[in-house]
């Protein structure tokens, strides 16, 4: 009888310990707890490529796995695994990508950037072949001098005319020309945040530029969520910051996308030659428009998503209403 009571007392002590631990655990915590979702369900069907910089290719940390449906892995050029920064942009992130200019006083191609390139086109990016729309979105933080000194000219005080963020290359690109790009670029002598799109390979591009000062939109050392949408059928483009549309203007008059004929209008029926992140020439042959910044949760979608979905994605990972 004494032994049975001793066992009963021990069992009760174990039960009390377990109950105490469960009571002290954070709400929702359990052995099967899953991290919160980081992609809104409405984006999933169109998410061709997605990079959160927390999924290195097995055996090669200088490459990042694509979390989108295309399976287009990218290279972390210049710095390799060193480019992974312990600085998540939002509550569901732990790691971001650091890109930067390495040698501002010397010509070369040692800048840190990311992407993929093939002169014959990247077959896994076929979702952007003859497509009616596209969206580029992600988180960005300025971490140094921008724009950077231009290492491709002899003038010591010359600066690049653009700051590369992220984009999909055209089907005839040399590593610079794009189909859909989010970037900061010189517009009429003033640097502006822009969406830059090209419908037909080798033809003219159109640019939609934000009216607000880019330094206000992207202040130093602060994470900002940006999105650019491209409707190649209607000719409409849009920019968003922290889930809210930005006022802006088109920089090219007329019909640079040649939309005068009957639709639907699509991009060229060519596979993009790649993706560029943090500057041009992802094949790492030349420095071009480097960005001293961090990037996180980059998404490339084969549709021009609407304002409601952009805002929903922002709210999903921040748990707060979009900023005015």
């Amino acid at each position: 009888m004494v032994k049975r009571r001793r066992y009963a007392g021990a069992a009760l002590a174990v039960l009390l310990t377990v109950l105490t631990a469960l009571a002290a655990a954070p709400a929702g915590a359990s052995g099967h707890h899953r991290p919160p979702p980081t992609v809104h369900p409405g984006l999933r069907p169109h998410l061709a490529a997605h990079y959160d910089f927390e999924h290195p290719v097995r055996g090669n940390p200088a490459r990042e796995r694509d979390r989108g449906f295309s399976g287009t892995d990218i290279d972390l050029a210049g710095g390799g695994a060193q480019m992974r920064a312990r600085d998540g942009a939002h509550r569901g992130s732990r790691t971001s990508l650091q890109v930067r200019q390495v040698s501002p006083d010397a010509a070369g191609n040692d800048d840190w950037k990311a992407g993929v390139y093939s002169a014959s086109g990247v077959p896994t990016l076929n979702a952007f072949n003859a497509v009616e729309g596209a969206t580029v979105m992600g988180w960005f933080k300025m971490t140094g001098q921008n724009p950077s000194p231009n290492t491709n000219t002899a003038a010591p005080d010359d600066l690049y005319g653009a700051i590369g963020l992220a984009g999909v290359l055209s089907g005839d690109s040399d590593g610079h020309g794009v189909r859909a790009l989010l970037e900061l670029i010189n517009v009429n002598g003033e640097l502006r945040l822009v969406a830059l799109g090209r419908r037909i390979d080798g033809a003219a591009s159109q640019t939609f530029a934000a009216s607000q000062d880019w330094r206000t939109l992207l202040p130093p050392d602060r994470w900002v969520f940006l999105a650019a949408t491209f409707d190649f059928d209607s000719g409409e483009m849009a920019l968003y910051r922290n889930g809210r549309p930005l006022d802006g203007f088109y920089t090219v008059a007329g019909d640079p996308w040649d939309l005068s004929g009957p639709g639907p209008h699509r991009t060229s029926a060519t596979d993009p030659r790649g993706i560029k992140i943090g500057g041009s020439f992802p094949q790492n042959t030349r420095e071009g428009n480097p960005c001293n910044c961090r990037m996180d949760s980059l998404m490339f979608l084969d549709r021009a998503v609407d304002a409601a979905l952009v805002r929903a994605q922002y709210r999903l990972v921040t748990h707060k209403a979009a900023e005015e």
Side-chain angles (χ1 to χ4, degrees):
M1 180 67 71
V2 173
K3 187 177 293 185
R4 188 175 299 168
R5 288 176 182 164
R6 186 178 302 149
Y7 289 153
L12 180 60
V14 170
L15 178 60
L16 289 173
T17 301
V18 172
L19 291 174
T20 301
L22 288 174
S30 73
H32 302 287
H33 176 65
R34 295 181 179 180
T38 57
V39 178
H40 190 275
L43 299 181
R44 279 286 179 195
H46 305 282
L47 190 56
H50 177 208
Y51 308 102
D52 61 9
F53 305 105
E54 297 184 9
H55 294 86
V57 170
R58 182 172 295 181
N60 187 356
R63 285 177 59 79
E64 176 70 12
R65 282 170 47 203
D66 179 11
R67 307 288 287 168
F69 66 72
S70 74
T72 307
D73 298 341
I74 57 173
D75 297 307
L76 309 188
Q82 300 177 68
M83 297 167 65
R84 300 180 187 276
R86 299 291 293 181
D87 180 19
H90 52 80
R91 66 185 183 91
S93 175
R94 297 167 298 174
T95 305
S96 57
L97 176 74
Q98 177 73 60
V99 292
R100 66 186 182 95
Q101 184 179 58
V102 175
S103 304
D105 300 322
N109 61 321
D110 58 354
D111 57 317
W112 288 10
K113 56 197 168 193
V116 61
Y117 181 83
S118 172
S120 59
V122 178
T124 54
L125 293 176
N126 184 258
F128 298 102
N129 180 320
V131 72
E132 288 187 37
T135 298
V136 179
M137 65 172 68
W139 290 83
F140 302 89
K141 178 198 278 191
M142 300 290 105
T143 60
Q145 177 184 353
N146 286 299
S148 298
N150 191 338
T151 61
N152 295 310
T153 65
D157 57 349
D158 191 20
L159 301 176
Y160 283 104
I163 304 168
L165 296 180
V168 178
L169 300 180
S170 62
D172 60 351
S173 178
D174 62 353
H176 179 70
V178 293
R179 188 162 286 171
L181 176 68
L182 180 61
E183 187 174 51
L184 293 117
I185 197 169
N186 193 307
V187 177
N188 299 325
E190 186 176 352
L191 203 65
R192 292 187 182 274
L193 175 67
V194 306
L196 189 153
R198 177 177 287 103
R199 189 174 78 85
I200 303 299
D201 291 349
S205 63
Q206 177 62 284
T207 300
F208 181 78
S211 300
Q212 199 169 353
D213 191 301
W214 77 271
R215 289 159 294 195
T216 302
L217 297 174
L218 284 161
D221 301 314
R222 183 184 303 175
W223 281 111
V224 175
F225 180 65
L226 299 177
T229 62
F230 308 81
D231 189 327
F232 295 112
D233 185 32
S234 69
E236 295 181 1
M237 292 192 286
L239 285 168
Y240 300 85
R241 179 186 186 272
N242 289 350
R244 291 291 189 182
L246 292 173
D247 290 333
F249 57 94
Y250 293 96
T251 67
V252 181
D255 184 18
W257 284 0
D258 190 18
L259 302 176
S260 58
H265 303 286
R266 304 174 185 270
T267 64
S268 293
T270 56
D271 292 338
R273 287 192 175 181
I275 286 174
K276 65 177 185 178
I277 297 168
S280 292
F281 308 105
Q283 66 269 48
N284 205 25
T285 56
R286 179 182 178 182
E287 180 177 288
N289 301 331
C291 182
N292 291 300
C293 55
R294 288 179 181 169
M295 306 183 183
D296 198 0
S297 303
L298 298 182
M299 302 182 185
F300 302 84
L301 300 104
D302 64 352
R303 172 190 167 194
V305 303
D306 60 25
L309 269 178
V310 174
R311 184 176 183 183
Q313 174 60 29
Y314 173 73
R315 296 185 67 177
L316 176 72
V317 298
T318 59
H319 263 193
K320 62 181 179 181
E323 295 177 3
E324 296 294 336

